[in-house]
Amino acid sequence: MTKYGSFPGTRPRRLRTTPVMRRMVAETRLHPADFILPAFVREGVSEPVPISSMPGVVQHTRDSLKKAAVEALEAGVSGIMLFGIPEDEKKDAVGTPGTDPDGILQVALRDVRAEVGDELLVMSDLCLDETTDHGHCGVLDDQGRVDNDATLERYAEMAQVQADAGAHVVGPSGMMDGQIGVVRDALDQIGREDVAILAYTVKYASAFYGPFREAVGSSLRGDRKTYQQDPANARESLRELALDLEEGADMVMVKPAGPYLDILARVADASDVPVVAYQISGEYSMVEAAAEKGWIDRDKAILESLTGIKRAGAQNILTYWATEVARNLR
């Protein structure tokens, strides 16, 4: 005899039966506009320089950077975040290339802005690490420690020259106390209330930054544990969030993304401004390396990692796969 109402009466698998069913009920969707492309531009090179630890990523020339920006725009990406790499002999203790109107980052900002206008958000990394001979994100005192308040003065100057060069958005990334308030005031003082601030609100002292050090030609000696956050801690992320919002952040970021999805979710729950996550170099390189070995399906792993970041609460994602993924989603 046929039995009705037998266990299991509830069958969630019904909503997984076909690709179109799974697509219809998907709770999280990726869109090209979610993405921001991080890009490196290097002074004094005539051809793009491959980054050995980041397969497929290069240090751009000025011309190849403009091409990359146009490709990102055509793919539907929302923004491009620029990192400038000056010639080694131009680096000094206070990061002079970072405030030189003719420094590589400022030149690149003008180049890209002239190429894409307002159709692509042109963003700039606001930090001293690429331009100092010691590789730290700030000015050092006479004992070799990062001087928070002296660094803020340099950030104010950087914000103004980057705005003058055409940045729509500046991204203070040094994790100095008070950096958002100082940058906001510096921009407002020159009448650039229109320039938005993407605050690196949560930035952990992570082992996953390794490939990035090659990407920016880092001169770092020591580590950044006195200003970047301890991976063991979570509560201080919400404290940093409250401070950045109070100081005028327009958007806030969690970095790295993948190893800190719990932090990302907490920040997203507490924030009343857009939340961004940075899928950093180590996250990128691990997938590329494992795929090269044939250990994982590259394309599926990329989409899964990005979906997880968005599901955790990121509205936008900085990822080195931005243009590629955006093209495939269209």
Side-chain angles (χ1 to χ4, degrees), residues 193-211:
E193 296 87 354
D194 58 318
V195 175
I197 298 177
L198 169 55
Y200 283 60
T201 293
V202 178
K203 186 176 181 182
Y204 282 94
S206 172
F208 292 95
Y209 297 135

Side-chain angles (χ1 to χ4, degrees), residues 36 78-83 105 109 120-125 162 166-171 198 251 318:
I36 299 165
S78 286
I80 184 168
M81 174 69 78
L82 303 187
F83 297 83
L105 180 54
L109 286 166
L120 181 73
L121 287 175
V122 180
M123 306 179 174
S124 56
D125 178 58
Q162 289 178 3
H168 293 104
V169 181
V170 296
L198 169 55
M251 298 172 278
L318 280 89

Side-chain angles (χ1 to χ4, degrees), residues 16 25 38 77 114 143 145 153 164 197 226 230 233 274 304:
R16 306 170 194 156
V25 301
V77 171
Q143 298 183 52
R145 301 172 301 189
E153 294 182 19
D164 286 342
I197 298 177
T226 64
D230 185 340
N233 294 343
E304 184 175 339

Side-chain angles (χ1 to χ4, degrees), residues 51-111:
I51 300 168
S52 63
S53 56
M54 299 178 69
V57 181
V58 301
Q59 295 172 330
H60 285 286
T61 66
R62 289 173 60 185
D63 285 339
S64 69
L65 177 66
K66 290 188 287 186
K67 181 180 178 182
V70 171
E71 290 173 349
L73 169 61
E74 292 174 344
V77 171
S78 286
I80 184 168
M81 174 69 78
L82 303 187
F83 297 83
I85 308 162
E87 295 172 322
D88 282 345
E89 57 268 24
K90 293 184 178 179
K91 297 180 180 181
D92 59 23
V94 296
T96 296
T99 50
D100 180 354
D102 294 320
I104 183 60
L105 180 54
Q106 286 70 252
V107 170
L109 286 166
R110 291 195 292 271
D111 285 345

